[in-house]
Amino acid sequence: MNHPIIPIAVLEVSRERKRQGPKGRRVDPKALAEVQRLLGSEPRRADLLIEHLHRIQDHFGHLAAGHLAALAQEMRMAQTEVYEVASFYHHFDVVKEGEAAPAALTVRVCDGLSCEMAGAKDLLAKLPALLGREVRVIAAPCIGRCEQAPAAVVGQNPVPHATCEKVMTTVAAGAVQHAPEGFIDYDSYGREGGYALLKECVSGRHEVGSVIKVMEDSGLRGLGGAGFPAGRKWRIVRAEKGPRLMAVNIDEGEPGTFKDRVYLERDPHRFLEGMLIAAWAVGIDKIYIYLRDEYHGCRNMLETELEKLRLSPPLEQMPEIELRRGAGAYICGEESAMIESIEGKRGMPRLRPPYVAQVGLFGRPTLEHNFETLYWVRDILQKGGEWFSSHGRNGRKGLRSFSVSGRVNSPGVKLAPAGITIQELIDEYCGGMLPGQKFYAYLPGGASGGILPATMNNIPLDFDTLQPYGCFIGSAAVMILSDKDTATDAARNMMRFFHHESCGQCTPCRVGTAKAAHLMEQPKWDLPLLADLSLVMRDASICGLGQAAPNPVDCVVKYFPHELK
């Protein structure tokens, strides 16, 4: 067959016309105008991508394909860059072209272990029919309210000790959160001597070297889980060439953990003063506070109190403070994943070295701290390092804030001596077990900290004391099981959580958690295969999520073999 000969000049013109057209999805002018109106005069920097996605999600209730394309054009980013970030985080509802948008109101019911034991499954089974199609009901990983189990969130309003009736009432009323009783605001904190220590530091009454020495002598370790000595971290980052940045981690997503929220809801300025003292001692130019998205009330409160701090600063020159909002990703509790998220990216852990202290936020040396670590700075510097280290039991030193949930009479945050045993914690601080229930097992460090039987109730709870038993204390999230529970069910719950929260970056964790969760749902566990998975995940996963995910499984095999028969 003969084909017509097309002149080369015509082909060149045709190619040029194709190149003039935009690649990818064409931007709808209406969607672009809506995005521009929502963003207003806010900078279009790439690190603000997640903040801008929140603005769109909050306004429209979801992220439509047209708005994502418009946002990409407005920020001069590739549409794939915007989409990969939006689709990474659980709290962003990405709606593809042709798909139906989700219901205007979402009810999230926590299915974490403490909430599951308290009846979350029953809520998830009944609420969809009771609320109808106008409301979406979904299961959510731990929302940081384990002492209020079962807990739910209606829109942005938490429902503690949730029942079907309480959830339905909140849906109908659209309840607004209020500050907890006893909340200490900026003015009240100042009247009680707040920010006086910070002023003394900046005025020269305390030398940087002596302040860091007190922190080192106190023995205070990072209270987010890793336990790195706080004073040593200050010294390391200070030795790095400036400019230096600071990142504060309030993304406590470990199931069973809620201590940061409780302290933040009551005394935020004690934390803020500790943060500013650390910034002064290390020589920090700018501070980023990363707060988990589940803490809506805390975010509103913190924005208000930070504004008061800016309008009436305790210092002539303060580092700039920027509050950043998470979007529902447990992995962002890992320091380098959190830094990636602050930079507007998917929260995927970085390979080390270099370490965050050397190359952190935006490539600068970064002091990364957990909320509670900074919360103790003022007390330690005012009372002395010896005061903090004088507390403790069983040869351990310091104080620990235990987040206790499960089958006890009085769950909550318990400030107790480091090294206290689980039996002492239950008996002295939690009012004993619930009536008619017998202590059976406990998780000493949240989802990843392992499971131990009640017969091992005399182990000091602290850093480095639990490792010989295949466990660790982490952020001190203690969950108590009774004879009405099983360790196998607890381990299944944990592995489902890890599978759901794996960032997917490395194969051992992405595939390993999925395979392990599947094997654990079977009536009889394939123990040799689970052992192989455990070994590979521990040795080859990039970060602590995959490395620690096998802990509950291995503990069940080791300490609860009778449940597997």
Side-chain angles (χ1 to χ4, degrees):
M1 183 182 294
N2 294 326
H3 296 281
I5 298 175
I6 302 175
I8 294 177
V10 174
L11 287 174
E12 292 296 333
V13 169
S14 177
R15 291 193 189 104
E16 185 63 30
R17 285 175 178 167
K18 287 180 180 179
R19 281 195 292 268
Q20 288 175 355
K23 293 183 178 180
R25 181 185 304 278
R26 292 177 182 265
V27 176
D28 176 51
K30 180 186 176 186
L32 180 61
E34 290 171 338
V35 167
Q36 289 173 336
R37 185 168 57 253
L38 281 175
L39 267 54
S41 60
E42 290 294 316
R44 269 56 167 174
R45 301 194 316 264
D47 64 289
L48 292 173
L49 174 58
I50 294 172
E51 297 296 311
H52 296 337
L53 287 169
H54 274 303
R55 285 175 178 268
I56 299 171
Q57 170 92 19
D58 289 346
H59 185 81
F60 293 102
H62 62 278
L63 298 174
H67 289 133
L68 291 178
L71 181 61
Q73 177 170 308
E74 189 68 10
M75 298 188 69
R76 299 182 180 275
M77 298 175 69
Q79 292 185 25
T80 52
E81 291 179 278
V82 173
Y83 181 82
E84 72 176 7
V85 172
S87 59
F88 179 85
Y89 294 93
H90 301 314
H91 290 187
F92 290 142
D93 292 312
V94 177
V95 178
K96 299 178 182 178
E97 194 168 316
E99 290 183 345
L105 181 63
T106 296
V107 173
R108 288 182 165 86
V109 178
C110 177
D111 65 354
L113 179 59
S114 296
C115 288
E116 184 179 86
M117 290 192 295
K121 286 184 177 179
D122 190 52
L123 286 175
L124 285 165
K126 294 178 178 178
L127 282 174
L130 292 171
L131 295 174
R133 295 182 180 180
E134 300 296 319
V135 179
R136 178 177 60 162
V137 178
I138 60 175
C142 185
I143 60 175
R145 296 184 176 274
C146 315
E147 85 280 27
Q148 302 169 357
V153 179
V154 176
Q156 297 188 350
N157 297 294
V159 183
H161 306 295
T163 62
C164 290
E165 292 73 19
K166 289 178 72 173
V167 171
M168 292 172 68
T169 299
T170 306
V171 168
V176 178
Q177 300 179 53
H178 300 284
E181 186 177 346
F183 174 73
I184 302 172
D185 65 4
Y186 180 61
D187 294 330
S188 301
Y189 185 74
R191 287 192 294 270
E192 296 177 2
Y195 293 108
L197 178 61
L198 173 64
K199 294 174 183 177
E200 290 175 2
C201 290
V202 175
S203 68
R205 288 188 58 184
H206 302 286
E207 294 182 352
V208 170
S210 65
V211 167
I212 294 179
K213 180 69 164 53
V214 171
M215 293 296 296
E216 290 175 328
D217 291 345
S218 72
L220 178 67
R221 296 173 65 170
L223 298 173
F228 192 87
R232 192 193 309 172
K233 183 181 286 190
W234 290 17
R235 196 176 293 280
I236 290 170
V237 179
R238 182 177 173 81
E240 295 290 328
K241 184 179 179 181
R244 307 175 197 90
L245 303 175
M246 186 175 183
V248 181
N249 191 339
I250 322 182
D251 192 66
E252 55 173 359
E254 181 76 15
T257 308
F258 49 88
K259 61 183 177 62
D260 293 350
R261 189 204 88 239
V262 169
Y263 287 140
L264 181 58
E265 285 177 338
R266 287 159 176 75
D267 198 358
H269 289 280
R270 186 172 300 272
F271 145 68
L272 291 173
E273 183 170 12
M275 178 187 78
L276 290 170
I277 290 172
W280 161 80
V282 177
I284 298 296
D285 291 318
K286 187 171 181 178
I287 301 170
Y288 292 83
I289 301 175
Y290 189 87
L291 180 66
R292 71 180 302 195
D293 193 35
E294 288 83 352
Y295 294 168
H296 301 290
C298 288
R299 185 176 65 254
N300 294 336
M301 173 274 296
L302 199 51
E303 286 173 344
T304 299
E305 297 305 311
L306 284 172
E307 185 61 22
K308 293 178 183 178
L309 198 63
R310 294 186 187 102
L311 293 174
S312 181
L315 306 173
E316 288 186 8
Q317 291 185 328
M318 283 206 322
E320 184 182 351
I321 303 171
E322 204 166 307
L323 180 60
R324 290 298 182 86
R325 179 179 173 184
Y330 165 70
I331 191 62
C332 290
E334 196 275 341
E335 62 176 7
S336 65
M338 177 189 69
I339 283 172
E340 288 285 297
S341 189
I342 292 173
E343 293 181 356
K345 306 170 189 172
R346 293 175 293 172
M348 290 187 166
R350 297 176 178 177
L351 293 172
R352 299 176 180 85
Y355 296 96
V356 166
Q358 303 163 310
V359 182
L361 263 171
F362 308 111
R364 301 310 311 164
T366 302
L367 178 66
E368 191 276 342
H369 264 315
N370 168 257
F371 167 91
E372 195 201 348
T373 310
L374 297 168
Y375 184 85
W376 287 112
V377 168
R378 176 185 164 186
D379 280 339
I380 289 172
L381 294 180
Q382 287 182 329
K383 300 176 182 178
E386 298 79 10
W387 164 79
F388 188 79
S389 62
S390 68
H391 296 84
R393 293 187 187 178
N394 300 307
R396 310 305 296 179
K397 294 183 178 181
L399 291 165
R400 293 306 304 264
S401 300
F402 293 93
S403 302
V404 185
S405 62
R407 310 290 193 177
V408 291
N409 272 311
S410 176
V413 175
K414 311 298 178 181
L415 183 60
I420 193 172
T421 67
I422 188 64
Q423 195 65 60
E424 292 168 337
L425 189 64
I426 293 172
D427 294 342
E428 298 176 30
Y429 289 83
C430 302
M433 298 293 293
L434 287 171
Q437 301 197 30
K438 183 180 178 182
F439 180 32
Y440 175 68
Y442 66 106
L443 288 78
S448 53
I451 309 174
L452 292 171
T455 53
M456 299 174 68
N457 62 350
N458 60 348
I459 303 170
L461 298 178
D462 197 15
F463 294 113
D464 310 320
T465 60
L466 293 156
Q467 279 84 336
Y469 308 97
C471 300
F472 58 82
I473 194 168
S475 59
V478 178
M479 292 185 274
I480 308 296
L481 309 185
S482 76
D483 52 355
K484 296 184 179 294
D485 310 302
T486 66
T488 49
D489 281 344
R492 288 188 186 100
N493 183 288
M494 299 297 102
M495 192 57 72
R496 288 195 297 268
F497 171 80
F498 289 129
H499 171 44
H500 183 266
E501 294 299 317
S502 174
C503 75
Q505 180 177 192
C506 66
T507 303
C509 178
R510 181 183 68 251
V511 177
T513 53
K515 183 65 174 178
H518 173 72
L519 291 171
M520 293 167 69
E521 294 297 337
Q522 306 309 308
K524 185 175 178 61
W525 287 10
D526 187 334
L527 298 183
L529 186 52
L530 281 169
D532 285 345
L533 280 172
S534 173
L535 181 64
V536 172
M537 290 168 69
R538 290 184 188 281
D539 290 347
S541 295
I542 289 175
C543 80
L545 191 156
Q547 294 163 8
N551 283 346
V553 182
D554 293 348
C555 285
V556 167
V557 174
K558 185 175 182 179
Y559 299 116
F560 303 89
H562 57 281
E563 291 191 17
L564 299 174
K565 293 180 181 178

